[in-house]
Structures are given as C-alpha cells and as structure tokens.
C-alpha cells in the first residue's frame, strides 16, 4: 500500500526495515521456504484423509488404509518440524534485526548535541530504545512472516477447495466477505488504539522515571499525595488505551469464530444431503472440507490478530526512525588531531543562545594564556557555565570564533578536542559501578596502578582506601553511596588521570563538609598546576589564587584583572559582588 493516514502498512517504512535483514539473507530465505512448505502441507492431510474415506472406508476396503494413516502421521510430523523451525528462525531474525537497529539508535544518541537532551524526555527516549524495539521485533516474529504464512495458506486452501468441489467452495466463499469486512474494520480501529497505547506508555515511562529520579525533592516538599493523584490519572489513561484494544478484540474474534462455525454447519448440511441424495460430493470430500474450513478461517482470524503486532511494530519503528533521522549532531568536520595543546584559549566576539530569541553570550572576547588559571565570576545566569559548554563544543556558537593555540576548535576533530580538555562539573554524575570504572570509564589505557598513583598525587588515596573494597567499591546509581564532597573528589581524579592539556572546573564546595572541602582545595591546587585552567569560582580562596579574574554580567564581560586590581575599581561589578558574596567568607 502507498502511505496514507488510514494505511495499516507503510511499505516505505518496511523497506527501510528490510535493509537491516540483508546481512541475514540465508535465514530469511529459509523462513520463506518454510512458509511455502507449511502452506503445501496444510492441504496434504485433508487430501490423504479424503482418499482414505473414498477408497477404503466407503468401499469397506482395508488394503492400503494403514498406508494412508502412516503417511498422514509422517506429514503431520514434518509439518510440526517446519512450524517449529519457522517460529524459531522468524523470531531469531526479528531479535537480530532489532539488535542492529538498537545499536544504531544508541550510537546515534551518543552523538546528539546537548541541546537535543535539553528538549527531550528521558522517559520517552528509554521507551524508544527498549519497549519500542521489542515491538519492532514482533513485526518479524509475530507479524509479517505470520501474515505471509497465513495468506499463502489461505490461497492454497482456497485453490484446493475449488479443485475438489466448486459447489461447496461457493458456500464457504459466501461467508468470507463478512469476515474480511470485519477484519478490515478491526484493523483500522486497532491501529488508532495502538497509537494511543504507545503514546500513553511513553507518558507513563517519562512520568515514573522523572519522579523516581526526583524522589528526594518530592518527599522534601511533601508532594507524595499530589504526585500519587497525577500518577493515577496517567495510569488510568494508559489502562483506557489498552481497554480499547481489548474491546475491539472481544468483538472481532467471536464474530470470526461464529462465521467459521456457521460455514461448517452449512457445508455439512448441503454436502450431507448431496452425498445421500445426489452423490456428486463424496463423503471424503465432505470430510476434507470440514477439515479445510478451519484452515481457511483461522488464518484469516490470525491475520487480524497478527496485524495487531504488525501495527504496533510499525508505529514503534516509525518513532524509532524519527529519532535516528534527527540531525542534531555537532558537525565533526575537523581534520586536525590534537595530541597536546599548549593551552592558549581565545574567545573572539562569541555570540550564543540556547533559545533563538534569548541571547546568552553577547559578543564576548577574552584570552587565556598557556598555563594560566583564570577564574570566572558572576551572578547566576551570567553565562559562566555556557563558556565551559562551548569550549568542549557541547553546543555550537551562533557567531564568532573560539580558538586554542590559534586554531579554530572547529578545525580539530571532536574526539581529540575533548580528549585534551577535562571538565569537572558542579553536578557530578557517577554510574552504578565501581570507583575504578567511574574514574577510568573503562578506558583500557588507564590501569588501576595509574589511578592509585594519581589518587596519591592529589591526596585522596586514603579516602578511597577507607571505603569497603577501596577502588572496587560500587557507588550505586548516580553515586548515592558517597557524599557530595566524595563524589566531587572522584570527579577530580577522573579528570586528572586523563592528563589533559586544559582543565575546566565548575568548582562547588558550598554543600560539602570542611574535611572534603580541604581535600577538594588540595586537589584543585594539584591538578591546575602547570596547565591552563578555567575555573567557575565559588570560593574566595580560588579567586585569590587565580592569575586573572573575568567578571560576567548578563552574557557580557564587565571587568578583567587580578583580585587586587578589581577591588580598586570604585562601584565595580567585582567589588560589589565581592562585598555581597565573599566578604563574609573572608571574615569567617
């Protein structure tokens, strides 16, 4: 079918899925052959049974009857084997294709701009990568191949019926339009129902993921009952979506069963009278038809059932491919590989905005000389953290130039650029893994001995050694087994072991104990020594030690200089900030 709003099957979407099957042509060919074999075997047993009735039972001849029975048993066993292999390899093909698509999707997600994640729900993306993938697998294991098998079986059975008795075939075929019409209506409504179900599943996943992540906030502000009521509403919508599919199934399948039963009754009535009165239809043919009717109607009913899986899979595939088709990657067109920077950084008239109409950086220009430690201070929203994001190319600037060692960072390969810049963020993220793996991030070039020596260098080896299993201590999800100060120390060590040319610190010690704060300060002094460092400064000690201070306000650089120089500026931005924010710390 050609794609349209009412279409059940999008051929272009399927052809895209089919491309992922190309590496598995042999398995696909075998499944195709198995489908043909199953369709042919579906009429073999009725044919043999008809002959046994007409040649042996009707004529009361025993000779040859056992042979028919033995052949029937053999064919039934062969059909069983073919069905088994068909189900296994169609399922294998589905899971293998999904594995490849999931890898492609995750690889794509790894390279998205941060802006994409700023505007995307984590719960929805998890649904795309997990739940939707299983629905795509159903296209092959429960949908497409099953439908093709059933259609081919129906064609073979229909042809066999006409060949054996056109009179009985007419009775059977008169009932088919009713079932086919019911199937068409059923498919149309089921597609809409499944689209609603997928939407509600995404909403449910997103809601649960966000609330579990933010559980501390919910409990802190006593929002449990409010969120409970919200969840009940979302869960109710989810239930109602599924109930629609159940309702449609409860209507369709009894209609299909009733149609098959009525057809068997009509065939038995007409064929039975014909056998007795006219003799144009044999008892064997009548018996064969009674066996063949379920083989014709059951596939038709199953096709509708399998269309459910196919529809859900196609809806899921469409959503997954929308993510894969999203072009939100940083342009990695640079050809220079940065093996080591001297560390000279220059921002030249850089403009940037997260949202089109809201400019965050307004043409800022500054230079950091190699080996310098520059502190950036300013009120919240001044643009301090944005500078960190732009230096590592997490976002693209609107205009201007950012250069390192007089080379535009766009000319440097993204991987080598980020390898030479280590960033310690204020919000430390640790994976549910050991301390060692959180430090090395499974980089085989960074051994445990290197990590231990680095920890000793910056003075946190004793802290790690005091933990159960030391470097092999599992910090659990997001590092919940460690305090905020301890997590910060781990992030310092993670940056230090990479031996970066440039270090960027979003230094945050306002919520840590005095012991951790001292360790962090010692670590800061150690890892910034001898390398270019940009520090988002939150502490007076860091500001005083900086070679230069850049003062920002509303996306602009207002002042630059040393601590002493800036304090001499009457009514200066830094002097006012210092008196409001830092004087109490100095007095303390």
């Amino acid at each position: 079918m050609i794609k349209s709003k009412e279409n059940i099957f999008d051929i272009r979407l399927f052809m895209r899925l089919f491309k992922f099957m190309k590496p598995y042509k042999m398995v696909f060919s075998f499944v195709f052959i198995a489908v043909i074999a199953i369709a042919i075997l579906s009429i073999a047993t009725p044919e043999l049974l008809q002959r046994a009735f007409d040649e042996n039972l009707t004529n009361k001849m025993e000779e040859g009857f056992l042979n028919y029975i033995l052949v029937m048993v053999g064919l039934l066993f062969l059909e069983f084997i073919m069905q088994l292999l068909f189900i296994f390899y169609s399922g294998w093909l589905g899971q293998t294709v999904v594995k490849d698509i999931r890898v492609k999707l995750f690889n794509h997600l790894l390279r998205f701009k941060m802006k994409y994640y700023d505007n995307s729900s984590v719960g929805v993306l998890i649904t795309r990568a997990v739940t939707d993938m299983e629905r795509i697998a159903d296209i092959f294991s429960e949908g497409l191949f099953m439908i093709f098998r059933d259609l081919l079986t129906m064609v073979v059975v229909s042809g066999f019926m006409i060949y054996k008795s056109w009179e009985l075939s007419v009775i059977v075929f008169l009932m088919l339009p009713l079932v086919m019409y019911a199937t068409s209506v059923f498919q149309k409504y089921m597609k809409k129902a499944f689209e609603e179900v997928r939407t509600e599943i995404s909403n449910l996943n997103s809601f649960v993921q966000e609330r579990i992540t933010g559980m501390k906030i919910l409990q802190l502000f006593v929002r449990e009952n409010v969120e409970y009521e919200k969840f009940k509403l979302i869960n109710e919508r989810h239930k109602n979506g599924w109930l629609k599919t159940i309702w449609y199934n409860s209507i369709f399948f009894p209609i299909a069963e009733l149609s098959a039963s009525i057809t068997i009754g009509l065939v038995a009535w007409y064929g039975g009278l014909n056998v007795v009165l006219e003799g144009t239809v044999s008892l064997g043919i009548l018996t064969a038809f009674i066996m063949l009717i379920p083989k014709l109607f059951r596939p038709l009913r199953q096709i509708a059932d399998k269309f459910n899986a196919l529809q859900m899979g196609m809806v899921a595939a469409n959503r997954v491919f929308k993510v894969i088709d999203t072009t939100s990657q940083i342009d990695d067109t640079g050809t220079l590989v940065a093996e080591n920077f001297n560390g000279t950084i220059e921002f030249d008239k850089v403009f940037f905005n997260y949202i089109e109409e809201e400019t965050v950086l307004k043409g800022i220009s500054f230079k950091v000389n190699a080996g310098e430690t520059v502190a950036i201070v300013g009120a919240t929203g001044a643009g301090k953290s944005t500078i960190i994001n732009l230096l590592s190319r997490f976002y693209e600037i609107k205009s201007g130039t950012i250069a390192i060692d007089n080379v535009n960072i766009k000319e440097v390969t993204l991987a080598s650029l980020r390898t030479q810049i280590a960033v310690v963020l204020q919000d430390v993220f640790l994976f549910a893994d050991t301390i060692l793996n959180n430090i090395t991030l499974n980089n085989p070039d960074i051994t445990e001995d290197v990590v231990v020596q680095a920890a000793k260098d910056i003075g946190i080896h004793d802290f790690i050694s005091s933990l159960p299993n030391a470097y092999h201590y599992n910090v659990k999800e997001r590092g919940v087994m460690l305090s905020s100060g301890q997590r910060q120390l781990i992030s310092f060590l993670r940056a230090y072991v990479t031996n970066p040319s440039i270090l960027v610190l979003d230094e945050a010690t306002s919520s840590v104990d005095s012991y951790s704060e001292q360790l962090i300060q010692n670590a800061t002094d150690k890892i910034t020594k001898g390398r270019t460092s940009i520090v988002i400064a939150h502490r007076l000690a860091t500001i005083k030690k900086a070679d230069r201070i850049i003062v920002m306000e509303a996306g602009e650089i207002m002042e630059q200089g040393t601590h002493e120089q800036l304090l001499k500026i009457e009514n200066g931005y830094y002097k006012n900030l210092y008196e409001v924010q830092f004087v109490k710390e100095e007095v303390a």
Side-chain angles (χ1 to χ4, degrees):
M1 297 181 184
I2 304 301
K3 185 178 179 182
S4 71
K5 290 183 179 180
E6 298 300 325
N7 262 350
I8 307 281
F9 189 74
D10 185 342
I11 187 64
R12 286 176 291 181
L13 184 59
F14 172 72
M15 292 306 297
R16 188 169 182 182
L17 285 171
F18 188 79
K19 291 180 181 178
F20 286 90
M21 284 194 287
K22 285 187 177 180
Y24 313 104
K25 291 179 181 178
M26 292 294 294
V27 177
F28 177 80
S29 298
F30 174 79
V31 172
F32 184 78
I33 293 169
V35 167
I36 297 174
I38 290 170
I40 294 173
L41 287 169
S42 66
I43 62 172
T45 304
E47 168 68 13
L48 290 172
L49 191 62
Q50 181 226 319
R51 293 186 180 185
F53 267 72
D54 291 343
E55 295 177 12
N56 295 91
L57 296 183
T58 302
N59 299 321
K60 299 181 180 180
M61 290 177 56
E62 184 179 350
E63 184 180 355
F65 183 74
L66 181 60
N67 292 336
Y68 280 125
I69 299 302
L70 291 175
V71 173
M72 285 176 60
V73 171
L75 289 175
L76 286 171
F77 180 74
L78 179 60
E79 185 176 6
F80 164 76
I81 295 297
M82 295 307 297
Q83 289 279 14
L84 185 150
L85 293 175
F86 166 74
I87 293 171
F88 175 80
Y89 280 107
S90 61
W92 181 91
L93 190 61
Q95 289 298 328
T96 305
V97 167
V98 160
K99 177 205 71 175
D100 295 343
I101 297 175
R102 186 183 283 121
V103 167
K104 184 178 180 65
L105 173 66
F106 189 72
N107 185 50
H108 202 60
L109 290 173
L110 287 173
R111 287 158 177 77
F112 275 153
K113 298 177 184 177
M114 289 300 106
K115 186 175 182 179
Y116 178 85
Y117 294 104
D118 293 341
N119 300 322
S120 300
S121 164
V122 174
V124 169
L125 292 178
I126 290 173
T127 299
R128 300 292 173 268
V130 181
T131 309
D132 283 342
M133 287 297 177
E134 293 306 315
R135 300 290 76 80
I136 294 175
D138 291 342
I139 292 177
F140 304 96
S141 61
E142 297 182 19
L144 185 70
F145 292 128
M146 294 287 189
I147 291 172
F148 181 58
R149 179 198 64 183
D150 291 343
L151 283 174
L152 187 59
T153 299
M154 289 176 63
V155 170
V156 172
V157 168
S158 297
F160 185 73
M161 283 180 167
I162 294 170
Y163 172 73
K164 288 297 179 180
S165 173
W166 68 268
E167 297 172 271
L168 296 181
S169 298
V170 168
I171 296 174
V172 175
F173 296 156
L174 283 175
M175 291 298 296
L176 282 180
L178 173 62
V179 181
M180 294 177 69
Y181 175 74
T183 302
S184 175
V185 174
F186 175 71
Q187 292 165 355
K188 178 180 178 181
Y189 282 96
M190 284 300 286
K191 184 184 181 189
K192 292 180 180 178
F194 280 134
E195 287 176 345
E196 183 178 336
V197 166
R198 300 309 307 153
T199 299
E200 294 306 330
I201 287 175
S202 294
N203 292 339
L204 188 64
N205 285 348
S206 180
F207 184 89
V208 172
Q209 187 274 333
E210 288 182 351
R211 269 57 185 184
I212 290 177
T213 303
M215 189 60 68
K216 190 172 184 179
I217 297 297
L218 298 183
Q219 294 183 359
L220 184 64
F221 289 91
V222 197
R223 308 302 293 171
E224 295 94 334
N225 291 336
V226 173
E227 296 302 320
Y228 170 70
E229 293 299 328
K230 286 184 181 178
F231 179 78
K232 283 172 63 177
L233 292 174
I234 293 175
N235 201 35
E236 182 70 18
R237 292 201 301 268
H238 177 262
K239 181 200 74 173
N240 290 337
W242 275 110
L243 284 179
K244 284 185 180 180
T245 69
I246 295 170
W247 171 243
Y248 297 146
N249 276 298
S250 66
I251 295 174
F252 172 74
F253 288 110
I255 291 175
E257 287 291 338
L258 181 62
S259 300
S261 299
I262 292 173
T263 304
I264 291 174
L266 290 173
V267 167
W269 169 72
Y270 180 82
L273 290 177
N274 191 286
V275 169
V276 174
L277 300 177
E278 300 178 23
T280 57
V281 176
S282 69
L283 181 61
I285 291 177
L286 178 61
T287 305
F289 261 74
I290 292 174
M291 287 188 65
L292 288 168
I293 288 170
K295 290 179 178 287
L296 182 63
F297 277 76
R298 188 179 299 116
L300 186 58
R301 187 193 70 186
Q302 289 176 343
I303 286 174
D305 193 23
K306 299 310 177 186
F307 253 105
N308 298 348
L310 181 61
Q311 288 165 2
M312 289 188 73
M314 296 301 280
V315 170
N318 187 49
R319 293 183 175 186
V320 168
F321 283 130
K322 278 184 179 178
V323 178
I324 292 177
D325 291 339
T326 300
T327 54
S328 185
Q329 290 80 14
I330 296 291
D331 293 330
D332 190 11
T333 56
T335 56
L336 300 177
V337 178
E339 296 182 356
N340 191 37
F341 287 132
N342 290 326
T344 300
I345 303 170
E346 187 169 5
F347 277 58
D348 183 26
K349 299 177 182 177
V350 173
F351 284 84
F352 173 77
N353 50 271
Y354 292 103
I355 303 173
E356 188 63 33
E357 61 273 10
E358 296 180 12
T359 303
V360 177
L361 296 183
K362 303 172 182 177
I364 66 169
S365 299
F366 67 89
K367 184 176 182 180
V368 180
N369 297 317
E372 266 192 329
T373 296
V374 172
I376 302 178
V377 300
T380 301
K384 307 185 298 296
S385 296
T386 299
I387 290 175
I388 294 177
N389 291 328
L390 297 182
L391 185 62
S392 297
R393 291 198 70 196
F394 286 127
Y395 298 86
E396 294 280 26
I397 61 176
K398 186 175 182 179
S399 63
T401 305
I402 302 175
I404 299 178
D405 295 347
N406 297 318
V407 176
N408 191 322
I409 60 174
K410 291 185 177 181
E411 298 177 16
V412 181
T413 62
L414 201 57
S416 66
L417 172 70
R418 291 177 178 172
T419 299
Q420 293 301 314
I421 301 175
V423 180
V424 178
L425 297 173
Q426 179 178 350
D427 182 18
V428 179
F429 187 94
L430 298 181
F431 296 94
D433 207 334
T434 64
I435 287 179
L436 179 64
N437 288 339
N438 268 290
I439 293 168
T440 66
L441 296 177
N442 297 303
N443 185 344
D445 296 330
I446 305 175
T447 65
E448 184 172 354
D449 291 338
V450 170
V451 173
V452 172
Q453 185 57 52
K456 290 178 179 178
D457 290 344
I458 65 174
I460 66 173
H461 173 70
D462 292 340
F463 140 63
I464 297 176
S465 298
S466 67
L467 298 171
N469 298 321
Y471 289 86
H472 298 279
Y473 178 62
N474 194 312
V475 299
K476 306 299 181 184
E477 188 173 0
R478 299 185 68 89
V480 295
M481 302 304 291
L482 301 177
S483 69
S484 59
Q486 291 171 330
R487 291 195 295 270
Q488 194 79 3
L489 290 169
I490 297 301
S491 70
F492 271 80
L493 184 54
R494 181 161 61 191
Y496 184 63
V497 295
T498 63
N499 192 29
S501 302
I502 297 170
L503 187 67
V504 181
L505 303 178
D506 191 350
E507 185 202 26
T509 57
S510 58
S511 59
V512 303
D513 59 88
S514 57
Y515 175 70
S516 296
E517 183 176 353
Q518 185 58 50
L519 288 177
I520 290 172
Q521 185 56 50
N522 294 338
T524 301
D525 294 341
K526 178 67 178 180
I527 66 177
T528 56
K529 187 176 181 180
R531 57 168 55 91
T532 304
S533 303
I534 295 177
V535 182
I536 305 298
H538 299 272
R539 302 175 67 254
L540 180 61
T542 302
I543 295 173
K544 284 186 173 182
K545 290 180 180 179
D547 297 307
R548 187 153 43 94
I549 300 169
I550 296 176
V551 186
M552 296 191 66
E553 175 70 23
E556 297 181 87
I557 295 176
M558 310 308 297
E559 297 169 350
Q560 294 189 58
T562 64
H563 174 67
E564 291 75 14
Q565 290 172 342
L566 294 175
L567 284 180
K568 293 178 181 178
I569 301 175
E570 283 297 323
N571 296 319
Y573 284 88
Y574 178 77
K575 185 175 183 180
N576 291 334
L577 182 67
Y578 167 76
E579 291 175 351
V580 172
Q581 187 173 342
F582 299 119
V583 72
K584 291 183 179 178
E585 181 183 343
E586 187 173 39
V587 171

